């Protein structure tokens, strides 16, 4: 991985700066607090985003800004990559927003966590890094703040070991053990539960056998009962068949008795109906004899139709005459009213004639008013032109007067203009202004007079226009009145004709009324009454015929029923009554049937018990099956618990110890090598103990880390840092950041001689790109590129 450029916008003390980087070694030079460390934090933010507590968003966004961003360009295996991350301030907090990643000119817009996943994949870092707040591999191979390394060296050994386990991904063994302890606890709980659930397994097996024996005894009893029930059912069938045979024979006898009883009832009923029919026959004959003789019904209907036709004809004639008389009288009344109204029309005609004359006389003056309007309009136009011309002369005189008062030199000849000459010209222009003012006043007065005359003339023209409209309306009304007067003679002639027609119609109505319509009405009523009586007589005669026929049928039926009664009496004597015998047999049948029901009830009870026991056996077998499975599970859990606690846990300790031992050997060797290069005192020796704690010996005596001088602590920290970098790069083969290292203030507290050793360190590292942050001027001679950073009024700038 090679860094190419870094662009910062509103990041801490930077507003908008771009840093260009190249291969080999580069120094970020500047005073303390100028913004050097911000660049390193911005590189980490661009790659992995914010994280708590090491790199929170609040510590990156410039104070007072609402948005900020970092854009980093770098190469991996000669493949250009650009990543951009952004920050945005909301009401309550500062958060990362979506950014983008460009790989080989292909752009992806991604959310922060997606960007981190892509970068971890590109850098070849372990996938577990995605879910960790701290980027351990990056922090301890590429960039580690110097104070953070000192803090690690002073930590409790167990905390330091946990940190190293995370760096080398060995902490998974500790997590495995923690998970195993938790799982063993769960196994213990489950085993206890299974022990409790299976403790009564033998007792349930014994109960299961007892229930099976009880079921077999009940099945034997049930078989015996079924045999007895079968015998009783056969007896029931035989007895029931015998009873049905007796009932069939007895049914014939009872049927004959019922038929005899029905015949007797019918004979009695038919005799009563015969007596009633004879009485009705006598009464109908008597009623028919009371009616007089009538013509036929057809003749009566024909006579009635003729009378009704004559009556309708008279009514139609009368209605027609009355309608015509009413129409004539209405028309006569209307025409008479029109003749009366004509006198008023004639008077109105004369008035309209006079009105027409007056209007035509007044309209003769309209042309003079139109000519006057044109004359006034022409005068107004001439007056307006003269007014504008005079006004222009007035304004010109005023402007000349004003200009001459300010003029000191003639613009044409360039000679000085005297005051007398200016006063003379001013006086002339003043006279001209006075004359034009008077002319303008006179013209205003004349214009006002002409406008008043123009308005008065227009008013008169409007009145004449209205009168012209009234004249047209009057002419139309006169034409209508003249047309009405010409039709008067025609109306008088029509009136005479209508009077004659009305008299003729009245005479016809009187003649029609002289005929006797009441007589025709009475004759119609008489005919209708005769028809009604004839119909009634015919109905009685028909009823008499029906009664005679009914009486004959009743006598025949009565004779037949009496013969049937005799025959049934003989048949009953030959078929005796078996009712008592049937009752006796039914009693015996009920006894057998009750016995069968009692045995069936007893058998059903036994069968129910058998079924219940079978269900109980099934449930017990199911329960025993589950208990067997639980016992099997319990055995498996005990075996698993023994294997995890006795074998697997020890295996994780062994593997972790072997891995950490290998790391310790390499780490210790590298640490001693780097420490010997950096330390200037040959009597000081260093090594790492089992907890990776640096042990410093001076003249054979151990010296506490906190008792070392500032330069010695820095040397130990830098040596630890470089050794850790080398070990990580060797163990994690796939990472793509092996050619880059960033050293932040690595010479804090170094003497001049120790600063010279930094050159040896850089040469020994032999990396493609090294980035140093320092305010030591001497370091500048050790590197190939120098980038200077200054800070003025809270704003950092790059040079």
């Amino acid at each position: 991985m090679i860094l190419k450029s870094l662009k910062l916008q509103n990041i801490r003390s930077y507003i908008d700066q771009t840093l260009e980087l190249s291969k080999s070694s580069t120094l970020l030079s500047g005073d303390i607090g100028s913004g050097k460390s911000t660049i390193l934090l911005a590189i980490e933010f661009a790659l992995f985003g914010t994280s708590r507590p090491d790199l929170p968003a609040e510590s990156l966004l410039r104070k007072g800004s609402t948005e900020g961003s970092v854009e980093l360009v770098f190469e991996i295996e000669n493949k250009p990559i650009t990543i951009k991350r952004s920050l945005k301030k909301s009401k309550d907090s500062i958060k990362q927003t979506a950014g983008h990643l460009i790989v080989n000119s292909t752009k992806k817009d991604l959310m922060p966590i997606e960007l981190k996943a892509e970068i971890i994949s590109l850098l070849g870092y372990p996938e577990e890094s995605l879910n960790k707040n701290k980027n351990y591999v990056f922090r301890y191979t590429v960039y580690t703040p110097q104070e953070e390394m000192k803090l690690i060296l002073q930590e409790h050994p167990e905390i330091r070991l946990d940190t190293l386990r995370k760096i080398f991904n060995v902490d998974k063994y500790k997590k495995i053990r923690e998970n195993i302890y938790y799982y063993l606890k769960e196994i213990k709980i489950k085993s206890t539960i299974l022990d409790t659930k299976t403790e009564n397994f033998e007792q349930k097996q014994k109960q299961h056998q007892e229930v099976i024996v009880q079921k077999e005894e009940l099945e034997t009893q049930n078989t015996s009962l079924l045999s007895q029930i079968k015998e009783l059912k056969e007896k029931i069938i035989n007895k029931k068949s015998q009873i049905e045979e007796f009932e069939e024979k007895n049914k014939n006898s009872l049927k004959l008795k019922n038929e005899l009883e029905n015949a007797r009832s019918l004979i009695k009923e038919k005799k009563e109906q015969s007596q009633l029919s004879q009485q009705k026959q006598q009464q109908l004959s008597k009623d028919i004899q009371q009616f007089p003789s009538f013509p036929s019904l057809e003749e009566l209907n024909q006579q009635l139709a003729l009378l009704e036709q004559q009556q309708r004809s008279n009514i139609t004639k009368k209605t027609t005459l009355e309608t015509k008389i009413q129409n004539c009288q209405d028309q006569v009344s209307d025409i008479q009213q029109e003749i009366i109204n004509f006198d008023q029309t004639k008077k109105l005609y004369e008035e309209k004639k006079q009105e027409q004359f007056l209007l035509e006389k007044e309209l003769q003056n309209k042309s003079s008013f139109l000519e006057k309007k044109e004359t006034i309009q022409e005068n107004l136009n001439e007056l307006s032109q003269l007014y504008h011309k005079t006004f222009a002369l007035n304004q010109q005189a005023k402007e000349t007067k004003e200009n001459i008062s300010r003029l000191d030199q003639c613009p044409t000849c360039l000679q000085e203009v005297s005051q007398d000459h200016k006063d003379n010209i001013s006086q002339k222009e003043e006279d001209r202004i006075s004359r034009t003012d008077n002319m303008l006043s006179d013209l205003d007065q004349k214009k006002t007079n002409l406008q008043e005359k123009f308005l008065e003339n227009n008013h008169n023209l409007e009145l004449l226009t209205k009168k012209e409209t009234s004249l047209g309306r009057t002419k139309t009304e006169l034409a209508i009145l003249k047309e009405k007067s010409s039709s008067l003679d025609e109306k008088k002639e029509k009136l005479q004709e209508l009077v004659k027609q009305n008299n003729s119609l009245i005479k016809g109505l009187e003649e029609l009324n002289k005929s006797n319509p009441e007589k025709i009405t009475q004759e119609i009523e008489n005919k209708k009454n005769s028809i009604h009586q004839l119909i009634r007589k015919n109905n009685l005669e028909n009823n008499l015929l029906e009664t005679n026929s009914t009486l004959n049928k009743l006598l025949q039926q009565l004779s037949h029923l009496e013969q049937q009664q005799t025959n049934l009496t003989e048949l009953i004597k030959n078929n005796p009554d078996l009712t008592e015998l049937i009752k006796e047999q039914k009693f015996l049948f009920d006894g057998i049937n009750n016995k069968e029901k009692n045995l069936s009830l007893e058998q059903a009870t036994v069968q129910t018990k058998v079924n219940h026991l079978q269900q109980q056996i099934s449930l017990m077998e199911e329960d025993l099956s589950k208990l067997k499975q639980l016992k099997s599970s319990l055995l498996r859990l005990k075996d698993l618990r023994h294997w995890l606690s006795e074998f697997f846990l020890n295996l994780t300790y062994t593997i972790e110890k072997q891995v950490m031992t290998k790391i310790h050997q390499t780490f210790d060797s590298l640490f001693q090598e780097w420490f010997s290069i950096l330390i200037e005192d040959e009597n000081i020796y260093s090594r790492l103990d089992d907890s990776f704690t640096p042990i410093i010996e001076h003249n054979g005596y151990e010296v506490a880390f906190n008792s070392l001088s500032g330069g010695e602590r820095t040397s130990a920290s830098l040596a630890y840092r470089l050794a850790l970098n080398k070990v990580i790069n060797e163990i994690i083969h796939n990472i793509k950041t092996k050619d880059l290292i960033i050293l932040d203030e690595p010479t804090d507290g170094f003497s001049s001689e120790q600063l010279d050793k930094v050159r040896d360190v850089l040469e020994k590292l032999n990396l493609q790109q090294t980035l140093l942050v320092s305010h030591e001027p001497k370091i500048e001679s050790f590197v190939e590129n120098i980038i200077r950073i200054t800070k003025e009024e809270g704003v950092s700038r790059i040079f």
Side-chain angles (χ1 to χ4, degrees):
M1 175 181 178
I2 302 298
L3 302 179
K4 303 296 289 183
S5 68
L6 179 70
K7 184 176 181 180
L8 301 95
Q9 289 185 320
N10 294 326
I11 299 297
R12 297 179 77 166
S13 58
Y14 291 89
I15 296 177
D16 188 0
Q17 292 286 300
T18 300
L19 176 67
E20 299 292 339
L21 297 169
S22 60
K23 286 186 178 182
S24 68
S25 58
T26 301
L27 173 67
L28 298 181
S29 176
D31 295 334
I32 296 173
S34 60
K36 302 184 297 297
S37 296
T38 298
I39 292 174
L40 308 184
L41 294 174
I43 292 170
E44 184 177 5
F45 167 66
L47 292 171
F48 306 105
T50 60
S51 64
R52 293 185 181 277
D54 297 307
L55 195 59
E58 292 80 4
S59 68
L60 288 171
L61 186 64
R62 182 177 173 81
K63 302 299 182 184
S65 299
T66 58
E67 293 183 354
S69 66
V70 174
E71 184 176 303
L72 178 65
V73 180
F74 57 96
E75 287 183 358
I76 294 179
E77 298 175 348
N78 296 321
K79 179 169 60 178
I81 299 170
T82 301
I83 184 170
K84 182 176 181 180
R85 287 183 184 267
S86 301
L87 296 171
K88 187 172 183 179
K89 184 177 183 181
S90 61
K91 184 178 179 181
D92 302 322
S93 62
I94 299 172
K95 296 181 179 179
Q96 291 187 79
T97 57
H100 66 251
L101 179 69
I102 303 173
V103 181
N104 289 333
S105 302
T106 301
K107 183 179 179 182
K108 293 181 183 179
D109 292 315
L110 302 169
M111 296 304 291
I113 189 64
E114 294 173 328
L115 284 171
K116 184 176 180 180
E118 291 283 343
I119 290 298
I120 286 173
S121 176
L122 288 169
L123 297 180
Y125 285 0
E127 292 182 1
E128 294 82 0
S129 305
L130 182 62
N131 299 320
K132 294 179 180 179
N133 286 333
K134 199 165 187 175
N135 308 298
Y136 288 105
V137 177
F138 181 80
R139 272 290 174 105
Y140 296 109
T141 58
V142 179
Y143 163 55
T144 306
Q146 193 67 20
E147 292 303 318
E148 184 175 331
M149 185 58 67
K150 291 179 181 179
L151 189 63
I152 290 175
L153 295 178
Q154 298 176 57
E155 281 284 8
H156 188 275
E158 190 59 35
I159 297 175
R160 186 185 306 105
L161 281 173
D162 284 341
T163 302
L164 291 172
R165 287 189 185 101
K166 291 176 183 178
I167 294 171
F168 295 110
N169 200 24
V170 181
D171 60 332
K172 61 187 176 185
Y173 297 109
K174 183 179 180 181
K175 288 181 181 178
I176 290 170
R177 286 193 295 274
E178 290 173 352
N179 291 333
I180 290 172
Y181 286 128
Y182 176 78
Y183 187 54
L184 286 171
K185 185 178 179 182
E186 291 293 319
I187 289 175
K188 184 178 180 181
I189 294 170
K190 287 181 181 179
S191 300
T192 305
I193 294 170
L194 290 174
D195 271 333
T196 305
K197 287 182 178 180
T198 57
E199 62 185 1
N200 57 351
F201 177 70
E202 289 76 10
Q203 182 181 354
K204 287 191 175 184
Q205 279 185 323
K206 184 179 179 182
Q207 290 175 353
H208 177 249
Q209 292 299 323
E210 291 174 353
V211 172
I212 290 174
V213 172
Q214 188 179 354
K215 178 197 168 192
E216 290 173 352
E217 291 174 355
L218 286 172
E219 285 177 341
T220 303
Q221 183 183 353
N222 187 48
T223 303
S224 174
L225 288 171
L226 287 172
S227 177
Q228 296 178 42
I229 290 168
K230 184 178 180 182
E231 292 177 2
L232 288 173
K233 281 185 176 180
E234 290 176 354
K235 290 181 179 180
I236 288 170
I237 291 169
N238 293 332
K239 185 59 67 177
K240 187 177 181 181
S241 176
Q242 188 179 10
I243 291 170
E244 287 175 352
E245 185 180 350
F246 288 152
E247 283 179 339
E248 188 64 31
K249 290 180 180 179
N250 200 42
K251 191 189 294 182
N252 221 13
S253 176
L254 293 174
K255 182 180 179 183
L256 293 171
K257 285 181 180 180
N258 288 332
E259 288 178 358
L260 178 61
E261 189 62 32
N262 289 335
R264 287 171 180 171
S265 299
L266 287 171
I267 289 170
K268 183 179 179 181
E269 183 182 345
K270 297 299 179 184
K271 286 181 178 180
E272 291 175 354
Q273 290 178 357
S274 299
Q275 290 175 1
L276 291 172
S277 295
Q278 289 173 358
Q279 291 174 3
K280 184 178 181 181
Q281 184 183 41
Q282 294 171 3
Q283 183 64 38
L284 288 170
S285 299
K286 185 177 179 181
D287 291 339
I288 291 168
Q289 291 175 2
Q290 293 177 358
F291 286 98
S293 60
F294 293 104
S296 66
L297 182 61
E298 185 178 355
E299 291 179 11
L300 287 173
N301 283 328
Q302 289 177 355
Q303 293 171 5
L304 177 62
L306 290 173
L307 289 170
E308 288 177 341
Q309 184 179 2
Q310 185 179 357
Q311 185 186 41
R312 286 195 298 273
S313 176
N314 290 339
I315 291 171
T316 303
K317 289 179 180 179
K318 183 179 179 181
T319 304
T320 304
L321 289 171
E322 287 176 347
T323 303
K324 289 182 178 180
I325 290 168
Q326 184 63 42
N327 288 336
C328 284
Q329 290 177 355
D330 290 343
Q331 291 183 37
V332 168
S333 177
D334 292 340
I335 292 172
Q336 286 175 345
Q337 184 64 40
E338 287 179 1
I339 292 170
I340 292 168
N341 293 337
F342 180 72
D343 294 336
Q344 297 177 355
T345 303
K346 188 175 181 181
K347 183 179 179 182
L348 182 62
Y349 179 79
E350 294 298 329
E351 290 176 357
K352 291 293 180 181
K353 195 76 175 173
Q354 181 65 26
E355 184 181 348
Q356 181 185 4
F357 173 75
L358 294 173
L359 288 170
E360 287 177 346
K361 187 176 181 180
E362 289 180 2
L363 287 169
Q364 290 175 357
N365 299 325
K366 184 177 180 182
S367 59
S368 64
F369 283 110
L370 290 171
E371 291 174 0
K372 189 176 180 180
K373 178 181 179 181
E374 291 178 0
T375 303
I376 293 171
Q377 185 65 49
E378 289 176 359
N379 292 336
L380 278 172
N381 291 338
E382 291 175 359
L383 193 64
S384 179
Q385 291 177 2
L386 183 58
Y387 181 87
H388 287 304
K389 185 176 180 181
T390 305
F391 181 78
L393 292 171
N394 181 274
Q395 292 297 316
Q396 185 179 2
K398 288 181 178 179
E399 185 178 353
T400 302
K401 181 182 176 183
E402 185 178 355
N403 290 336
I404 201 65
S405 65
R406 296 198 300 268
L407 189 65
D408 294 329
Q409 189 178 24
C410 177
T412 302
C413 63
L414 303 178
Q415 293 183 2
E416 184 179 355
V417 180
S418 64
Q419 186 63 40
D420 292 339
H421 182 67
K422 289 194 287 186
D423 292 342
N424 187 24
I425 293 174
S426 296
Q427 185 60 43
K428 288 180 181 180
E429 296 303 324
E430 185 65 36
D431 293 340
R432 185 183 295 177
I433 291 168
S434 178
R435 286 196 307 274
T436 53
D437 283 343
N438 292 332
M439 288 176 69
L440 287 171
S441 177
D442 291 341
L443 290 171
D444 280 334
Q445 184 63 39
K446 288 179 181 180
K447 185 178 180 181
T448 302
N449 294 335
L450 283 173
Q451 286 175 343
E452 289 175 356
K453 289 179 181 180
F454 184 79
L455 291 173
E456 182 181 357
N457 189 68
N458 279 351
H459 178 68
N460 292 330
L461 280 171
E462 288 176 0
L463 292 175
L464 288 174
T465 301
K466 291 179 180 178
K467 288 179 180 180
E468 194 173 25
T469 303
S470 298
L471 177 60
R473 188 168 55 250
T474 302
K475 287 179 178 181
T476 303
E477 292 173 353
L478 280 170
I480 294 169
L481 292 171
K482 186 176 182 180
E483 184 180 351
K484 287 183 178 180
S485 63
S486 64
S487 62
L488 180 62
D489 295 334
E490 295 177 2
K491 292 187 181 295
K492 287 180 178 181
E493 291 175 2
K494 188 175 182 180
L495 180 61
Q496 291 175 0
E497 291 176 1
L498 288 171
V499 170
K500 288 178 182 181
Q501 185 180 355
N502 183 61
N503 293 335
S504 174
L505 291 170
I506 290 172
K507 186 177 179 180
L509 182 62
E510 289 175 352
E511 290 177 358
L512 184 63
N513 287 332
K514 286 179 182 179
S515 63
N516 194 357
E518 289 81 4
K519 183 179 178 181
I520 294 173
T521 303
Q522 185 62 43
E523 288 179 1
I524 290 170
E525 289 298 324
N526 293 335
K527 292 297 179 185
K528 288 181 177 180
N529 189 34
S530 297
I531 291 170
H532 178 69
Q533 289 184 354
L534 180 59
I535 292 170
R536 186 178 176 193
K537 181 182 178 181
N538 291 338
N539 290 336
L540 289 172
E541 288 175 348
N542 292 332
N543 201 356
L544 178 60
L545 292 172
E546 291 177 1
T547 302
N548 291 334
S549 176
T550 302
L551 182 59
N552 292 330
K553 288 180 181 179
L554 286 171
L555 291 173
Q556 291 175 3
Q557 291 174 358
L558 184 60
S559 175
H560 177 71
L561 287 170
E562 286 174 347
Q563 182 63 40
Q564 185 180 0
Q565 181 181 4
T566 304
N567 296 335
L568 288 170
T569 303
E570 289 296 325
L571 288 170
I572 289 170
K573 289 179 182 179
N574 299 325
N575 289 280
D577 191 355
L578 301 176
T579 305
E580 293 300 325
L581 180 61
I582 291 170
K583 287 182 180 179
E584 181 182 348
Q585 293 298 321
K586 282 186 176 180
F587 179 76
L588 294 174
F589 175 80
D590 290 340
I592 297 170
N593 196 35
N594 288 334
K595 187 176 180 181
E596 187 269 337
K597 284 182 180 178
N598 291 333
L599 286 175
S600 295
L601 182 62
E602 184 179 354
Q603 185 270 332
T605 303
V606 172
Q607 184 64 50
T608 302
K609 290 180 180 179
V610 171
N611 293 338
H612 177 70
L613 289 173
Q614 181 60 47
Q615 292 177 357
Q616 189 175 352
I617 289 168
S618 298
L619 292 173
M620 292 177 79
E621 288 175 349
E622 184 179 348
D623 193 18
L624 286 169
S625 176
K626 289 180 180 179
L627 287 173
K628 286 179 181 177
Q629 291 178 0
L630 292 175
K631 285 186 76 65
S632 177
S633 298
L634 179 59
L635 290 174
R636 286 198 303 273
L637 285 176
K638 287 180 177 179
D639 291 341
L640 179 60
R641 182 182 175 187
H642 179 263
W643 181 80
L644 288 173
S645 58
E646 297 297 327
F647 296 100
F648 192 67
L649 274 175
N650 294 332
L651 180 63
T652 60
Y653 280 114
T654 302
I655 294 172
E656 180 183 3
K657 187 175 181 181
Q658 288 177 351
V659 172
M660 292 301 289
T661 300
K662 181 180 179 182
I663 292 171
H664 182 272
Q665 290 173 353
T666 306
F667 201 163
D668 184 39
S669 173
L670 291 168
F671 174 70
Q672 292 182 31
E673 180 182 354
W674 286 113
F675 187 80
S676 63
I677 292 172
L678 292 169
I679 202 71
E680 56 184 352
D681 191 345
E682 295 180 356
N683 295 319
I684 297 178
Y685 169 75
S686 68
R687 60 182 175 83
L688 297 179
D689 65 6
D690 292 340
S691 65
F692 289 82
T693 302
I695 304 298
I696 310 299
E697 296 181 358
H698 187 261
N699 294 324
Y701 295 95
E702 290 187 6
V703 180
F705 183 80
N706 291 331
S707 300
L708 297 173
S709 66
E712 290 171 342
R713 284 199 299 270
T714 301
S715 297
S717 300
L718 183 56
Y720 202 92
R721 162 85 169 84
L722 296 174
L724 186 58
N725 170 273
K726 190 70 172 177
V727 173
I728 294 172
N729 285 334
E730 288 180 0
I731 290 176
I732 307 175
H733 304 287
N734 297 326
I735 60 175
K736 303 294 192 302
T737 54
K738 295 180 179 180
D739 296 326
L740 170 66
I741 191 168
I742 299 172
L743 301 175
D744 183 13
E745 298 291 353
T747 60
D748 184 28
F750 272 17
S751 63
S752 178
E753 290 76 9
Q754 283 181 302
L755 286 175
D756 291 332
K757 293 181 180 292
V758 173
R759 187 195 306 272
D760 300 332
V761 169
L762 294 177
E763 291 176 355
K764 192 171 182 61
L765 285 172
N766 193 27
L767 297 175
Q768 290 191 35
Q769 190 175 42
T770 305
L771 190 62
L772 286 88
V773 174
S774 178
H775 58 276
E776 294 286 352
K778 193 171 185 179
I779 300 295
E780 295 180 5
S781 61
F782 302 162
V783 297
E784 296 180 23
N785 304 293
I786 301 172
I787 296 174
R788 302 191 186 278
I789 299 172
T790 63
K791 187 175 183 180
E792 295 178 4
E793 297 180 356
V795 178
S796 295
R797 290 181 174 82
I798 299 171
F799 297 96

